[in-house]
Amino acid sequence: MNPAIRPGLAGEVELTVADEHLAPHTPKFSTPAMVMLMEQASFAAVRPLLAESQTVVGYEVNVKHLAPAGVGDRVTGTSTLMDVSGNKLRFEVVARLGDVILGTAEHKMAVVPQSDLA
């Protein structure tokens, strides 16, 4: 694994909440959509440092969904790599709507060969 993958790396992604991001029972940003945003932010933190033959896969998420967002809201996910142990990566992630924290998570991913996913 690339030794440049180390604690302190950060990634960020933005998402405009659309109908496909809503919970089926209420017109608010769903927890699964928030987890997807968090995973994308974590991937963004390490993507430039992965070999072409590598990717990352999530294997554990401990998430807290703290506040709502609605259609048209611009949500930002920011992920910071906190720990590297072999091929295992641990991120701390925050989803925000402006200054409001929508959710937090500890997200664990593993660096794996692309060929393992075929």
Side-chain angles (χ1 to χ4, degrees), residues 29-42 60-65 93 95 104-105 107:
F29 190 46
S30 73
T31 302
M34 186 176 70
V35 170
M36 178 191 70
L37 176 78
M38 291 172 160
E39 181 152 333
Q40 290 172 339
S42 297
E60 185 177 332
V61 180
N62 182 359
V63 65
K64 293 180 182 177
H65 198 154
V93 193
T104 61
H107 186 204

mmCIF file of all heavy atoms in Angstrom, residues 29-42 60-65 93 95 104-105 107:
data_model
loop_
_atom_site.group_PDB
_atom_site.id
_atom_site.type_symbol
_atom_site.label_atom_id
_atom_site.label_comp_id
_atom_site.label_asym_id
_atom_site.label_seq_id
_atom_site.Cartn_x
_atom_site.Cartn_y
_atom_site.Cartn_z
ATOM 1 N N PHE A 29 -33.842 13.971 3.853
ATOM 2 C CA PHE A 29 -32.610 13.270 3.506
ATOM 3 C C PHE A 29 -32.519 11.984 4.327
ATOM 4 O O PHE A 29 -32.581 12.011 5.549
ATOM 5 C CB PHE A 29 -31.443 14.207 3.819
ATOM 6 C CG PHE A 29 -30.089 13.793 3.329
ATOM 7 C CD1 PHE A 29 -29.897 13.335 2.039
ATOM 8 C CD2 PHE A 29 -28.990 13.917 4.158
ATOM 9 C CE1 PHE A 29 -28.623 12.993 1.585
ATOM 10 C CE2 PHE A 29 -27.717 13.587 3.715
ATOM 11 C CZ PHE A 29 -27.534 13.122 2.431
ATOM 12 N N SER A 30 -32.400 10.860 3.633
ATOM 13 C CA SER A 30 -32.409 9.571 4.326
ATOM 14 C C SER A 30 -31.047 9.232 4.917
ATOM 15 O O SER A 30 -30.003 9.697 4.447
ATOM 16 C CB SER A 30 -32.832 8.456 3.369
ATOM 17 O OG SER A 30 -31.803 8.172 2.440
ATOM 18 N N THR A 31 -31.068 8.392 5.928
ATOM 19 C CA THR A 31 -29.816 7.928 6.528
ATOM 20 C C THR A 31 -28.978 7.139 5.523
ATOM 21 O O THR A 31 -27.763 7.363 5.443
ATOM 22 C CB THR A 31 -30.110 7.108 7.797
ATOM 23 O OG1 THR A 31 -30.844 7.938 8.713
ATOM 24 C CG2 THR A 31 -28.834 6.637 8.464
ATOM 25 N N PRO A 32 -29.554 6.231 4.714
ATOM 26 C CA PRO A 32 -28.718 5.550 3.718
ATOM 27 C C PRO A 32 -28.053 6.511 2.728
ATOM 28 O O PRO A 32 -26.898 6.314 2.342
ATOM 29 C CB PRO A 32 -29.695 4.611 3.003
ATOM 30 C CG PRO A 32 -30.756 4.347 4.008
ATOM 31 C CD PRO A 32 -30.904 5.649 4.763
ATOM 32 N N ALA A 33 -28.749 7.572 2.343
ATOM 33 C CA ALA A 33 -28.147 8.554 1.433
ATOM 34 C C ALA A 33 -27.016 9.304 2.132
ATOM 35 O O ALA A 33 -25.986 9.614 1.510
ATOM 36 C CB ALA A 33 -29.201 9.523 0.919
ATOM 37 N N MET A 34 -27.175 9.575 3.418
ATOM 38 C CA MET A 34 -26.111 10.237 4.170
ATOM 39 C C MET A 34 -24.888 9.330 4.283
ATOM 40 O O MET A 34 -23.753 9.781 4.133
ATOM 41 C CB MET A 34 -26.597 10.653 5.559
ATOM 42 C CG MET A 34 -25.566 11.470 6.325
ATOM 43 S SD MET A 34 -26.156 12.061 7.922
ATOM 44 C CE MET A 34 -26.240 10.514 8.816
ATOM 45 N N VAL A 35 -25.113 8.039 4.519
ATOM 46 C CA VAL A 35 -23.995 7.089 4.585
ATOM 47 C C VAL A 35 -23.276 7.027 3.236
ATOM 48 O O VAL A 35 -22.040 6.981 3.182
ATOM 49 C CB VAL A 35 -24.477 5.697 5.049
ATOM 50 C CG1 VAL A 35 -23.390 4.653 4.895
ATOM 51 C CG2 VAL A 35 -24.967 5.757 6.490
ATOM 52 N N MET A 36 -24.031 7.056 2.125
ATOM 53 C CA MET A 36 -23.416 7.066 0.805
ATOM 54 C C MET A 36 -22.517 8.294 0.643
ATOM 55 O O MET A 36 -21.376 8.197 0.164
ATOM 56 C CB MET A 36 -24.476 7.057 -0.294
ATOM 57 C CG MET A 36 -23.885 7.112 -1.705
ATOM 58 S SD MET A 36 -25.111 7.422 -2.998
ATOM 59 C CE MET A 36 -25.540 9.122 -2.667
ATOM 60 N N LEU A 37 -23.000 9.460 1.051
ATOM 61 C CA LEU A 37 -22.215 10.686 0.994
ATOM 62 C C LEU A 37 -20.936 10.541 1.814
ATOM 63 O O LEU A 37 -19.850 10.930 1.374
ATOM 64 C CB LEU A 37 -23.058 11.854 1.513
ATOM 65 C CG LEU A 37 -22.363 13.205 1.624
ATOM 66 C CD1 LEU A 37 -22.246 13.850 0.250
ATOM 67 C CD2 LEU A 37 -23.138 14.111 2.571
ATOM 68 N N MET A 38 -21.045 9.962 2.987
ATOM 69 C CA MET A 38 -19.889 9.775 3.862
ATOM 70 C C MET A 38 -18.872 8.814 3.244
ATOM 71 O O MET A 38 -17.664 9.041 3.324
ATOM 72 C CB MET A 38 -20.349 9.281 5.227
ATOM 73 C CG MET A 38 -21.119 10.327 6.012
ATOM 74 S SD MET A 38 -21.837 9.640 7.509
ATOM 75 C CE MET A 38 -22.105 11.131 8.469
ATOM 76 N N GLU A 39 -19.357 7.744 2.620
ATOM 77 C CA GLU A 39 -18.447 6.807 1.964
ATOM 78 C C GLU A 39 -17.738 7.479 0.795
ATOM 79 O O GLU A 39 -16.537 7.286 0.581
ATOM 80 C CB GLU A 39 -19.182 5.553 1.505
ATOM 81 C CG GLU A 39 -18.240 4.564 0.852
ATOM 82 C CD GLU A 39 -18.676 3.118 0.984
ATOM 83 O OE1 GLU A 39 -19.383 2.770 1.940
ATOM 84 O OE2 GLU A 39 -18.273 2.343 0.109
ATOM 85 N N GLN A 40 -18.459 8.282 0.031
ATOM 86 C CA GLN A 40 -17.839 8.989 -1.093
ATOM 87 C C GLN A 40 -16.775 9.969 -0.610
ATOM 88 O O GLN A 40 -15.718 10.110 -1.242
ATOM 89 C CB GLN A 40 -18.908 9.711 -1.908
ATOM 90 C CG GLN A 40 -19.805 8.775 -2.669
ATOM 91 C CD GLN A 40 -20.975 9.492 -3.316
ATOM 92 O OE1 GLN A 40 -21.363 10.590 -2.916
ATOM 93 N NE2 GLN A 40 -21.563 8.858 -4.328
ATOM 94 N N ALA A 41 -17.013 10.644 0.515
ATOM 95 C CA ALA A 41 -16.019 11.573 1.065
ATOM 96 C C ALA A 41 -14.768 10.821 1.530
ATOM 97 O O ALA A 41 -13.642 11.287 1.317
ATOM 98 C CB ALA A 41 -16.624 12.376 2.212
ATOM 99 N N SER A 42 -14.964 9.658 2.135
ATOM 100 C CA SER A 42 -13.822 8.856 2.581
ATOM 101 C C SER A 42 -13.013 8.370 1.381
ATOM 102 O O SER A 42 -11.770 8.430 1.388
ATOM 103 C CB SER A 42 -14.302 7.672 3.424
ATOM 104 O OG SER A 42 -14.950 8.133 4.596
ATOM 105 N N GLU A 60 -17.442 -1.189 7.814
ATOM 106 C CA GLU A 60 -18.131 -0.868 9.063
ATOM 107 C C GLU A 60 -18.437 0.620 9.101
ATOM 108 O O GLU A 60 -17.594 1.441 8.735
ATOM 109 C CB GLU A 60 -17.259 -1.238 10.265
ATOM 110 C CG GLU A 60 -17.927 -1.051 11.605
ATOM 111 C CD GLU A 60 -17.050 -1.504 12.766
ATOM 112 O OE1 GLU A 60 -16.210 -2.404 12.589
ATOM 113 O OE2 GLU A 60 -17.222 -0.943 13.863
ATOM 114 N N VAL A 61 -19.653 0.963 9.535
ATOM 115 C CA VAL A 61 -20.055 2.358 9.689
ATOM 116 C C VAL A 61 -20.825 2.475 11.000
ATOM 117 O O VAL A 61 -21.780 1.736 11.238
ATOM 118 C CB VAL A 61 -20.959 2.845 8.527
ATOM 119 C CG1 VAL A 61 -21.355 4.302 8.735
ATOM 120 C CG2 VAL A 61 -20.287 2.662 7.189
ATOM 121 N N ASN A 62 -20.405 3.404 11.835
ATOM 122 C CA ASN A 62 -21.132 3.722 13.063
ATOM 123 C C ASN A 62 -21.601 5.156 12.897
ATOM 124 O O ASN A 62 -20.819 6.096 13.039
ATOM 125 C CB ASN A 62 -20.228 3.567 14.283
ATOM 126 C CG ASN A 62 -20.956 3.849 15.571
ATOM 127 O OD1 ASN A 62 -22.142 4.173 15.584
ATOM 128 N ND2 ASN A 62 -20.240 3.752 16.673
ATOM 129 N N VAL A 63 -22.876 5.315 12.571
ATOM 130 C CA VAL A 63 -23.388 6.620 12.147
ATOM 131 C C VAL A 63 -24.442 7.146 13.121
ATOM 132 O O VAL A 63 -25.195 6.374 13.705
ATOM 133 C CB VAL A 63 -23.959 6.533 10.708
ATOM 134 C CG1 VAL A 63 -25.160 5.630 10.646
ATOM 135 C CG2 VAL A 63 -24.265 7.895 10.147
ATOM 136 N N LYS A 64 -24.446 8.472 13.255
ATOM 137 C CA LYS A 64 -25.493 9.168 14.008
ATOM 138 C C LYS A 64 -26.105 10.195 13.068
ATOM 139 O O LYS A 64 -25.408 11.062 12.540
ATOM 140 C CB LYS A 64 -24.917 9.870 15.234
ATOM 141 C CG LYS A 64 -24.394 8.909 16.269
ATOM 142 C CD LYS A 64 -23.828 9.648 17.452
ATOM 143 C CE LYS A 64 -23.259 8.639 18.440
ATOM 144 N NZ LYS A 64 -22.635 9.305 19.587
ATOM 145 N N HIS A 65 -27.406 10.082 12.847
ATOM 146 C CA HIS A 65 -28.137 11.042 12.007
ATOM 147 C C HIS A 65 -28.794 12.027 12.966
ATOM 148 O O HIS A 65 -29.710 11.663 13.699
ATOM 149 C CB HIS A 65 -29.165 10.303 11.158
ATOM 150 C CG HIS A 65 -29.640 11.105 9.998
ATOM 151 N ND1 HIS A 65 -30.116 10.520 8.851
ATOM 152 C CD2 HIS A 65 -29.719 12.441 9.781
ATOM 153 C CE1 HIS A 65 -30.464 11.447 7.988
ATOM 154 N NE2 HIS A 65 -30.237 12.632 8.536
ATOM 155 N N VAL A 93 -16.117 11.159 9.970
ATOM 156 C CA VAL A 93 -16.845 11.839 8.906
ATOM 157 C C VAL A 93 -17.949 12.709 9.501
ATOM 158 O O VAL A 93 -18.597 12.327 10.480
ATOM 159 C CB VAL A 93 -17.474 10.815 7.932
ATOM 160 C CG1 VAL A 93 -17.957 11.511 6.673
ATOM 161 C CG2 VAL A 93 -16.510 9.700 7.590
ATOM 162 N N ALA A 95 -21.325 15.132 8.131
ATOM 163 C CA ALA A 95 -22.212 15.648 7.087
ATOM 164 C C ALA A 95 -22.819 16.944 7.611
ATOM 165 O O ALA A 95 -23.300 16.986 8.750
ATOM 166 C CB ALA A 95 -23.306 14.645 6.755
ATOM 167 N N THR A 104 -22.756 12.380 11.986
ATOM 168 C CA THR A 104 -21.353 12.049 12.203
ATOM 169 C C THR A 104 -21.202 10.547 12.060
ATOM 170 O O THR A 104 -22.164 9.796 12.221
ATOM 171 C CB THR A 104 -20.870 12.471 13.603
ATOM 172 O OG1 THR A 104 -21.640 11.775 14.585
ATOM 173 C CG2 THR A 104 -20.997 13.978 13.813
ATOM 174 N N ALA A 105 -19.977 10.121 11.762
ATOM 175 C CA ALA A 105 -19.742 8.684 11.642
ATOM 176 C C ALA A 105 -18.271 8.355 11.835
ATOM 177 O O ALA A 105 -17.397 9.169 11.554
ATOM 178 C CB ALA A 105 -20.187 8.173 10.270
ATOM 179 N N HIS A 107 -16.096 5.613 10.042
ATOM 180 C CA HIS A 107 -16.245 4.775 8.847
ATOM 181 C C HIS A 107 -14.956 4.012 8.638
ATOM 182 O O HIS A 107 -13.877 4.609 8.592
ATOM 183 C CB HIS A 107 -16.552 5.657 7.644
ATOM 184 C CG HIS A 107 -16.854 4.895 6.403
ATOM 185 N ND1 HIS A 107 -16.693 5.426 5.157
ATOM 186 C CD2 HIS A 107 -17.300 3.637 6.208
ATOM 187 C CE1 HIS A 107 -17.037 4.530 4.246
ATOM 188 N NE2 HIS A 107 -17.398 3.441 4.877
#
